[in-house]
Amino acid sequence: MDYLDPKKRASRNLMLFTGYILIAVAITFTAVLLLYQTIGYGIGKNGAIIQNGIMFFSSHPGSAQIRLNGSLFPSTTNTRISVPEGIYNVQLSRAGYLDWQRNIELDGGRVEHFDYPFLIPTKLDTSHIGQPYSAAPTITTQSPDRRWLLVGQPGSMSTFDVYDLKNPTKAPVPITLPDTILSKATSSESWQLPQWADDNQHVLLRHDFDGKSEFILVDRTAPEQSINLNTDLAVSPSKLTLRNLKFDQYYLYDASSGNLQTASLKSPDKTTVLQHVLTYQSYGNDTLLYVTDSGAPAGKVLLKMLVGDKATTLRNFPASSSYVVDLTTYSGTMYVAAGASGTGKVYIYKDPLGQLASQPGQAIVPAQVLRVNQPNYLSFSDSAQFIVAESGSSFGVYDIENDQGYSYDTPAAPDAPMLHAEWMDGDRLFYVTNGKLELFDYDYRNQHILVPANSHYTPIFAPDYKYVYTMVQNASGQYGLQQTWLLAPADR
């Protein structure tokens, strides 16, 4: 018997041992091969190992076909694609929708995420919600969570309709402010400057009347508790904004003196925070970015940042007629943007206070400079990944995530009185031009003219982006909310 023969038993054990080693080597090789494929390595045409680039694609709606340089990719969105570095024309297609496309330059070893493509239906179906208005509404404004839409009823400054955009078939709920809350106008009056609190319940409005202004805090769920802040706080500021987006905390700004104060409903006593302020933007509870002429060299102004009670000078600008400033955090890092109308430049800084702390006495270095002549608008997108600087039809955009800047001019500026574009979401901008709603990606790719819109009323997008709402006037002169589907029939 072979198994009793020591030589044959040893030979068999050696063969088994060798087999186990070969299997282990094969498994290890396969694992390493899969790992390298996962991080983008592949075999080139000449047999050499190359590192591919990786692209991730998602879309709204999903399951869109992907074509790279005209060739159909086997998987649909949401998917990962590993390809050699190069320039690719990417096209996303889905039945019932217009194609989304752009050219992408991919470097070897680079991972690019394209999670934002938004497909527009080839046919836009519209209907109307609510009852028509006999004349132009006094205002429309949407809450931060996009659920609530406040429409001022024509003929009355104190009456509004509240629409629930999560349930658009429900009739709007009318609310009426107390009779004593508004000062009586003898000639003209209007609503301006809506700013919502982060509770999505309170909205701050400025009531302009007879050449004067007052600030009204409207409570959409308990309108009887709405208040006149000028009366309750005993103030008459040029500008009043929410502090940390809380409905009961405020910054009070007097443009003639440049004084900036704080007050709250719990403590109406005013506290002076800054003086000689030319413009400001707040962030969180205790951070302010502002421009001042106090202590500045002749012909200059200072861009400063106040955190708590410590003010730090970031840089100086040539004195101009106006300034734009904004700030936010992205991935835990503070970003600051500022520009002067006379310079034609908007400077964007990454962690400016950290830069100054690590290199005392050194000038902070901008992450990007956007060149926009006479910028009049500056705003971060909903996701804070992008910041746009605008002047009419001229745009500059900075992509923080990919450290990439874009500059472009659109064919036409926004219709008056709309002064600038707005962010639809984290990746797209829109405005009303030539009486139509225009929508485009942050870099002005995938531009679409959608539906008629009135530039006096900012178009409204539903919380789930299934619809867009525009205020339109019909042939008989009535105004109404037009609801437009942003999904093809098969996806509704």
Side-chain angles (χ1 to χ4, degrees), residues 297-349:
K300 302 278 189 178
V301 295
L302 301 178
L303 175 67
K304 304 187 75 170
M305 194 168 176
L306 179 72
V307 180
D309 57 0
K310 183 180 180 181
T312 304
T313 299
L314 302 183
R315 63 159 297 154
N316 63 55
F317 287 117
S320 297
S321 58
S322 63
Y323 310 90
V324 287
V325 295
D326 205 357
L327 72 167
T328 194
T329 57
Y330 182 74
S331 296
T333 300
M334 177 66 72
Y335 284 83
V336 162
S341 60
T343 65
K345 299 176 183 177
V346 173
Y347 297 87
I348 302 168
Y349 298 98

Side-chain angles (χ1 to χ4, degrees), residues 174-307:
I175 62 171
T176 302
L177 306 182
D179 291 336
T180 57
I181 197 172
L182 297 179
S183 298
K184 299 299 181 182
T186 58
S187 56
S188 61
E189 60 182 334
S190 62
W191 288 117
Q192 304 291 338
L193 295 178
Q195 185 187 22
W196 283 80
D198 59 4
D199 62 1
N200 298 291
Q201 176 180 333
H202 295 85
V203 58
L204 176 65
L205 300 176
R206 192 185 77 198
H207 176 222
D208 292 346
F209 64 102
D210 301 341
K212 296 176 284 188
S213 297
E214 61 189 356
F215 294 89
I216 310 299
L217 184 69
V218 176
D219 186 332
R220 65 165 180 82
T221 61
E224 70 280 0
Q225 295 181 19
S226 301
I227 57 176
N228 185 314
L229 291 172
N230 285 52
T231 301
D232 279 45
L233 299 177
V235 296
S236 185
S238 310
K239 180 179 178 180
L240 189 152
T241 55
L242 301 178
R243 182 178 180 182
N244 200 22
L245 297 179
K246 304 304 177 187
F247 78 91
D248 57 352
Q249 302 174 33
Y250 314 104
Y251 284 108
L252 314 171
Y253 177 62
D254 181 77
S256 60
S257 66
N259 285 349
L260 184 64
Q261 299 177 308
T262 59
S264 70
L265 294 181
K266 294 179 182 178
S267 178
D269 292 338
K270 295 168 283 296
T271 301
T272 298
V273 180
L274 293 168
Q275 295 178 312
H276 304 287
V277 173
L278 301 176
T279 193
Y280 75 94
Q281 181 66 44
S282 64
Y283 180 81
N285 190 53
D286 64 350
T287 301
L288 286 161
L289 181 67
Y290 64 102
V291 175
T292 179
D293 55 8
S294 178
K300 302 278 189 178
V301 295
L302 301 178
L303 175 67
K304 304 187 75 170
M305 194 168 176
L306 179 72
V307 180

Side-chain angles (χ1 to χ4, degrees), residues 127-131 146-149 162-172 462-464 466-469 481-485:
S127 59
H128 287 82
I129 65 170
Q131 296 298 314
R146 299 187 178 274
R147 178 170 183 176
W148 307 104
L149 174 61
V162 180
Y163 290 81
D164 180 358
L165 297 184
K166 279 193 174 180
N167 301 282
T169 58
K170 289 178 58 176
D464 53 11
K466 289 182 178 179
Y467 307 101
V468 61
Y469 298 91
L481 275 175
Q482 179 176 274
Q483 175 182 270
T484 302
W485 274 102

Side-chain angles (χ1 to χ4, degrees), residues 55-62 77-80 92 100 102 104 111-119 330 383 385-386 401-402 425-428 441-442:
M55 295 183 286
F56 288 88
F57 285 99
S58 299
S59 64
H60 175 89
T77 57
N78 182 11
T79 193
R80 164 189 175 277
L92 306 184
W100 180 96
R102 64 168 292 168
I104 296 171
V111 178
E112 300 275 8
H113 288 264
F114 299 92
D115 302 320
Y116 66 89
F118 193 98
L119 306 181
Y330 182 74
S383 64
Q385 180 179 342
F386 303 96
E401 176 72 23
N402 297 296
D425 52 17
D427 307 281
R428 271 158 291 274
D441 292 348
Y442 61 89

